[in-house]
Amino acid sequence: MSKIKIAELFYSIQGEGRYMGVPSVFLRTFGCNFKCAGFGMPRGEMSHEATDIAGAHTMIKAFEKYEELPLVSTGCDSYASWHPDFKDLSPMLTSEAIADRIAEIIPFGEWRDEHLVITGGEPLLGWQRAYPELLDHPKMAGLKEITFETNGTQKLTTEFKNFLGTWTGLPKHKREITFSVSAKLPASGEKWEEAICPEIVCEYEEVGTAYLKFVVATEEDIKDAERAVEEFKTAGFKGHIYLMPVGGVESVYTLNAKNVALAAMKRGWRYSDRLQVPLFKNEWGT
Ligand code: SF4
């Protein structure tokens, strides 16, 4: 039986993108190919918040569960889902255990209108091999919509792509797959040539609906988003474009939300909120 290292598994409201407001189960896998330490920092500088928290955790085992971890205002806001020093907080779970846990946390013990968000970290790293067994589990039979929240740098394996084609294709069970691609701009601290991968994202469109979601704070970020969109469109990308304000904490998020909305309108793009910030203060498990 295959296992997945799970950073978090919780039930909440999707706060971002196409399914904003939809009751959703979040399966946060462990591991990421990026660090995104540049978010919320002056260009060229990297945040040390996650590393400092990790240092305290390693030295004195400061935290026993995710809910105890401090929130950060710079860098990746889900740092504990990939930082190796927090591995001990993320158990390896069988598909059986995951399906059982989901049945416990959704309101009626079975899938109805809830949607599944497979997020991370980066959920399309090695775990692609384990998802078919989970999605084929009898307790997952009622599930009709999945979103992969990805950074858009990981190719789908042939086996997983074939599986997804079968999963959506059953005539009596019309199902939908979405790739919410948060491609990382230079403000994240990641390198353009490693973060902007149009051919990979175009391939997602072969098996589902894909859209791009850029996290921005400044005019310079928005210019970077325009340049990235050009590259994606040149490669044949057809999906929607969203701009979303930076800010895992309310003070930062509130500062730039309106400007980002106006910038999206001006370009005929969509605006994505971060409902989890005003509703739940972006706490772990929300
Ligand atoms: S890609 Fe996402 S999960 Fe990975 S470091 Fe960047 S923001 Fe965090």
Side-chain angles (χ1 to χ4, degrees), residues 35-53 71-77 79 82-83 187-189:
K35 294 191 171 62
C36 296
F39 278 133
M41 299 293 290
R43 279 272 165 140
E45 289 182 33
M46 299 295 159
S47 166
H48 294 288
E49 279 192 77
T51 323
D52 292 348
I53 299 165
L71 302 180
V72 294
S73 55
T74 55
C76 167
D77 62 0
Y79 61 90
W82 53 263
H83 197 296
S188 67

Side-chain angles (χ1 to χ4, degrees), residues 2-24:
S2 55
K3 291 184 176 179
I4 306 177
K5 195 163 178 61
I6 299 297
E8 289 188 289
L9 176 52
F10 59 92
Y11 175 60
S12 188
I13 292 282
Q14 172 60 290
E16 306 175 1
R18 179 184 189 196
Y19 284 94
M20 204 166 68
V22 175
S24 303

Side-chain angles (χ1 to χ4, degrees), residues 151-187:
N151 59 28
T153 62
Q154 301 303 308
K155 267 180 82 64
L156 298 177
T157 63
T158 308
E159 296 74 25
F160 190 47
K161 202 170 157 187
N162 291 341
F163 170 80
L164 290 177
T166 324
W167 192 81
T168 48
L170 298 172
K172 273 195 179 164
H173 304 278
K174 198 170 174 313
R175 290 160 158 175
E176 201 164 349
I177 293 171
T178 300
F179 295 86
S180 172
V181 180
S182 182
K184 298 299 178 245
L185 298 173

Side-chain angles (χ1 to χ4, degrees), residues 198 202 212 228-239 241 269:
C202 287
L212 293 164
V229 168
E230 274 309 306
E231 288 194 16
F232 279 101
K233 294 224 154 154
T234 304
F237 178 75
K238 297 178 197 62
I241 315 292
W269 296 344

Side-chain angles (χ1 to χ4, degrees), residues 116-119 123-124 131 135 146-150 160 164 177-181:
L116 175 65
V117 184
I118 303 186
T119 187
L124 295 178
Y131 296 140
L135 296 173
I146 304 178
T147 295
F148 291 95
E149 289 187 335
T150 171
F160 190 47
L164 290 177
I177 293 171
T178 300
F179 295 86
S180 172
V181 180

